Short mmCIF file of all heavy atoms in Angstrom, two decimals:
data_model
loop_
_atom_site.label_atom_id
_atom_site.label_comp_id
_atom_site.label_asym_id
_atom_site.label_seq_id
_atom_site.Cartn_x
_atom_site.Cartn_y
_atom_site.Cartn_z
N ALA L 13 94.31 83.39 124.08
CA ALA L 13 93.86 82.09 123.57
C ALA L 13 93.54 81.10 124.68
O ALA L 13 93.07 79.99 124.39
CB ALA L 13 94.92 81.51 122.65
N ARG L 14 93.79 81.46 125.94
CA ARG L 14 93.63 80.50 127.04
C ARG L 14 92.24 79.89 127.10
O ARG L 14 92.09 78.71 127.46
CB ARG L 14 93.88 81.18 128.39
CG ARG L 14 95.30 81.54 128.68
CD ARG L 14 95.40 82.23 130.03
NE ARG L 14 95.19 81.32 131.14
CZ ARG L 14 94.98 81.72 132.39
NH1 ARG L 14 94.91 83.02 132.68
NH2 ARG L 14 94.82 80.84 133.35
N THR L 15 91.22 80.69 126.79
CA THR L 15 89.85 80.23 126.98
C THR L 15 89.21 79.70 125.70
O THR L 15 88.00 79.47 125.65
CB THR L 15 88.99 81.39 127.52
OG1 THR L 15 89.10 82.50 126.62
CG2 THR L 15 89.45 81.81 128.91
N GLY L 16 90.00 79.52 124.66
CA GLY L 16 89.46 78.99 123.41
C GLY L 16 89.06 80.05 122.41
O GLY L 16 88.40 79.74 121.41
N ALA L 17 89.44 81.31 122.66
CA ALA L 17 89.15 82.37 121.71
C ALA L 17 90.06 82.26 120.50
O ALA L 17 91.17 81.72 120.58
CB ALA L 17 89.32 83.73 122.38
N SER L 18 89.62 82.78 119.36
CA SER L 18 90.48 82.85 118.18
C SER L 18 91.25 84.16 118.23
O SER L 18 90.74 85.18 118.69
CB SER L 18 89.65 82.75 116.90
OG SER L 18 88.80 83.88 116.77
N VAL L 19 92.50 84.15 117.75
CA VAL L 19 93.39 85.28 117.92
C VAL L 19 94.04 85.67 116.60
O VAL L 19 94.58 84.82 115.89
CB VAL L 19 94.50 84.98 118.97
CG1 VAL L 19 95.42 86.19 119.14
CG2 VAL L 19 93.89 84.57 120.30
N VAL L 20 93.99 86.97 116.32
CA VAL L 20 94.76 87.59 115.24
C VAL L 20 95.79 88.49 115.91
O VAL L 20 95.48 89.20 116.88
CB VAL L 20 93.87 88.41 114.30
CG1 VAL L 20 94.71 89.12 113.23
CG2 VAL L 20 92.82 87.52 113.64
N ALA L 21 97.02 88.48 115.41
CA ALA L 21 98.09 89.31 115.98
C ALA L 21 98.72 90.14 114.87
O ALA L 21 98.91 89.65 113.75
CB ALA L 21 99.14 88.45 116.66
N THR L 22 99.05 91.41 115.19
CA THR L 22 99.70 92.27 114.21
C THR L 22 100.96 92.88 114.81
O THR L 22 101.05 93.09 116.03
CB THR L 22 98.78 93.42 113.75
OG1 THR L 22 98.63 94.39 114.82
CG2 THR L 22 97.42 92.91 113.35
N ASP L 23 101.93 93.16 113.95
CA ASP L 23 103.12 93.90 114.37
C ASP L 23 103.77 94.50 113.13
O ASP L 23 103.82 93.85 112.07
CB ASP L 23 104.12 93.00 115.10
CG ASP L 23 105.05 93.80 116.00
OD1 ASP L 23 105.89 94.54 115.46
OD2 ASP L 23 104.93 93.69 117.24
N LEU L 24 104.25 95.72 113.28
CA LEU L 24 104.93 96.38 112.17
C LEU L 24 106.22 95.66 111.79
O LEU L 24 106.61 95.63 110.63
CB LEU L 24 105.23 97.83 112.55
CG LEU L 24 105.98 98.67 111.52
CD1 LEU L 24 105.17 98.82 110.25
CD2 LEU L 24 106.32 100.05 112.11
N SER L 25 106.87 95.06 112.80
CA SER L 25 108.16 94.40 112.60
C SER L 25 107.98 92.99 112.05
O SER L 25 107.34 92.14 112.68
CB SER L 25 108.93 94.34 113.93
OG SER L 25 110.00 93.43 113.86
N GLU L 26 108.55 92.73 110.89
CA GLU L 26 108.50 91.37 110.34
C GLU L 26 109.24 90.41 111.26
O GLU L 26 108.86 89.25 111.40
CB GLU L 26 109.14 91.36 108.95
CG GLU L 26 108.35 92.11 107.88
CD GLU L 26 107.27 91.24 107.26
OE1 GLU L 26 107.08 90.10 107.72
OE2 GLU L 26 106.63 91.70 106.30
N ARG L 27 110.29 90.90 111.90
CA ARG L 27 111.05 90.06 112.83
C ARG L 27 110.18 89.67 114.02
O ARG L 27 110.16 88.50 114.43
CB ARG L 27 112.30 90.81 113.29
CG ARG L 27 113.22 90.00 114.20
CD ARG L 27 114.50 90.76 114.53
NE ARG L 27 115.39 89.95 115.35
CZ ARG L 27 116.22 89.04 114.88
NH1 ARG L 27 116.29 88.83 113.58
NH2 ARG L 27 117.00 88.34 115.70
N ALA L 28 109.46 90.62 114.55
CA ALA L 28 108.56 90.31 115.66
C ALA L 28 107.49 89.32 115.24
O ALA L 28 107.14 88.40 116.00
CB ALA L 28 107.92 91.60 116.19
N CYS L 29 106.95 89.48 114.05
CA CYS L 29 105.95 88.53 113.56
C CYS L 29 106.51 87.11 113.52
O CYS L 29 105.80 86.15 113.86
CB CYS L 29 105.46 88.95 112.17
SG CYS L 29 104.40 90.41 112.15
N ALA L 30 107.77 86.98 113.11
CA ALA L 30 108.38 85.65 113.06
C ALA L 30 108.49 85.06 114.46
O ALA L 30 108.22 83.86 114.66
CB ALA L 30 109.75 85.74 112.41
N PHE L 31 108.89 85.87 115.43
CA PHE L 31 108.97 85.37 116.80
C PHE L 31 107.58 85.03 117.35
O PHE L 31 107.41 84.02 118.05
CB PHE L 31 109.64 86.41 117.71
CG PHE L 31 111.15 86.34 117.71
CD1 PHE L 31 111.91 87.25 117.02
CD2 PHE L 31 111.79 85.34 118.42
CE1 PHE L 31 113.30 87.19 117.01
CE2 PHE L 31 113.18 85.26 118.43
CZ PHE L 31 113.93 86.19 117.72
N ALA L 32 106.57 85.85 117.03
CA ALA L 32 105.22 85.56 117.50
C ALA L 32 104.70 84.24 116.93
O ALA L 32 104.05 83.45 117.61
CB ALA L 32 104.28 86.71 117.14
N ARG L 33 105.01 84.01 115.66
CA ARG L 33 104.60 82.73 115.05
C ARG L 33 105.29 81.56 115.72
O ARG L 33 104.68 80.52 115.97
CB ARG L 33 104.92 82.74 113.55
CG ARG L 33 104.09 83.71 112.73
CD ARG L 33 104.32 83.50 111.23
NE ARG L 33 103.66 84.55 110.46
CZ ARG L 33 104.26 85.63 109.96
NH1 ARG L 33 105.58 85.79 110.15
NH2 ARG L 33 103.58 86.53 109.30
N PHE L 34 106.58 81.73 116.01
CA PHE L 34 107.33 80.63 116.64
C PHE L 34 106.78 80.36 118.04
O PHE L 34 106.59 79.19 118.41
CB PHE L 34 108.81 80.98 116.71
CG PHE L 34 109.67 79.84 117.20
CD1 PHE L 34 110.19 78.91 116.32
CD2 PHE L 34 109.93 79.69 118.57
CE1 PHE L 34 110.95 77.84 116.78
CE2 PHE L 34 110.69 78.63 119.03
CZ PHE L 34 111.20 77.70 118.14
N THR L 35 106.56 81.42 118.83
CA THR L 35 106.02 81.23 120.18
C THR L 35 104.69 80.51 120.14
O THR L 35 104.44 79.58 120.91
CB THR L 35 105.88 82.60 120.88
OG1 THR L 35 107.18 83.16 121.11
CG2 THR L 35 105.15 82.46 122.21
N ALA L 36 103.82 80.91 119.22
CA ALA L 36 102.50 80.27 119.11
C ALA L 36 102.66 78.80 118.71
O ALA L 36 102.03 77.91 119.31
CB ALA L 36 101.64 81.01 118.10
N ALA L 37 103.49 78.54 117.71
CA ALA L 37 103.66 77.16 117.23
C ALA L 37 104.29 76.27 118.30
O ALA L 37 103.89 75.11 118.47
CB ALA L 37 104.51 77.15 115.97
N LEU L 38 105.26 76.80 119.03
CA LEU L 38 105.92 76.01 120.07
C LEU L 38 104.93 75.58 121.14
O LEU L 38 105.03 74.48 121.69
CB LEU L 38 107.06 76.82 120.70
CG LEU L 38 107.81 76.17 121.87
CD1 LEU L 38 108.40 74.82 121.46
CD2 LEU L 38 108.89 77.10 122.39
N ASN L 39 103.94 76.43 121.40
CA ASN L 39 102.95 76.13 122.44
C ASN L 39 101.68 75.51 121.87
O ASN L 39 100.69 75.37 122.61
CB ASN L 39 102.63 77.41 123.20
CG ASN L 39 103.81 77.91 124.01
OD1 ASN L 39 104.12 77.38 125.07
ND2 ASN L 39 104.51 78.93 123.50
N ASP L 40 101.72 75.17 120.58
CA ASP L 40 100.59 74.53 119.91
C ASP L 40 99.33 75.39 120.02
O ASP L 40 98.24 74.89 120.29
CB ASP L 40 100.34 73.14 120.49
CG ASP L 40 99.55 72.25 119.55
OD1 ASP L 40 99.51 72.56 118.34
OD2 ASP L 40 98.94 71.27 120.02
N VAL L 41 99.50 76.70 119.84
CA VAL L 41 98.41 77.66 119.88
C VAL L 41 98.23 78.25 118.49
O VAL L 41 99.21 78.65 117.85
CB VAL L 41 98.70 78.78 120.90
CG1 VAL L 41 97.62 79.85 120.84
CG2 VAL L 41 98.80 78.20 122.31
N ASP L 42 97.00 78.31 118.02
CA ASP L 42 96.72 78.82 116.67
C ASP L 42 96.56 80.34 116.72
O ASP L 42 95.61 80.85 117.33
CB ASP L 42 95.45 78.16 116.13
CG ASP L 42 95.17 78.54 114.68
OD1 ASP L 42 96.11 79.00 114.00
OD2 ASP L 42 94.01 78.39 114.24
N VAL L 43 97.48 81.08 116.11
CA VAL L 43 97.42 82.53 116.05
C VAL L 43 97.66 82.96 114.60
O VAL L 43 98.61 82.51 113.96
CB VAL L 43 98.47 83.20 116.96
CG1 VAL L 43 98.40 84.72 116.84
CG2 VAL L 43 98.26 82.78 118.42
N ASP L 44 96.79 83.82 114.10
CA ASP L 44 96.92 84.37 112.74
C ASP L 44 97.76 85.64 112.85
O ASP L 44 97.26 86.69 113.25
CB ASP L 44 95.52 84.67 112.20
CG ASP L 44 95.55 85.32 110.81
OD1 ASP L 44 96.64 85.44 110.23
OD2 ASP L 44 94.46 85.71 110.33
#
């Protein structure tokens, strides 16, 4: 996302998805 690209992220682990969402939100980065 550094250069303004849009990002979709996937993970089999629901727990990992929750951490990925938190990391993105904490850094004010939009990740689906």
Side-chain angles (χ1 to χ4, degrees):
R14 289 179 72 193
T15 56
S18 65
V19 180
V20 176
T22 72
D23 203 291
L24 178 63
S25 165
E26 291 275 5
R27 184 175 182 83
C29 288
F31 274 104
R33 292 189 188 99
F34 186 88
T35 293
L38 176 57
N39 293 282
D40 200 19
V41 174
D42 186 18
V43 178
D44 177 6

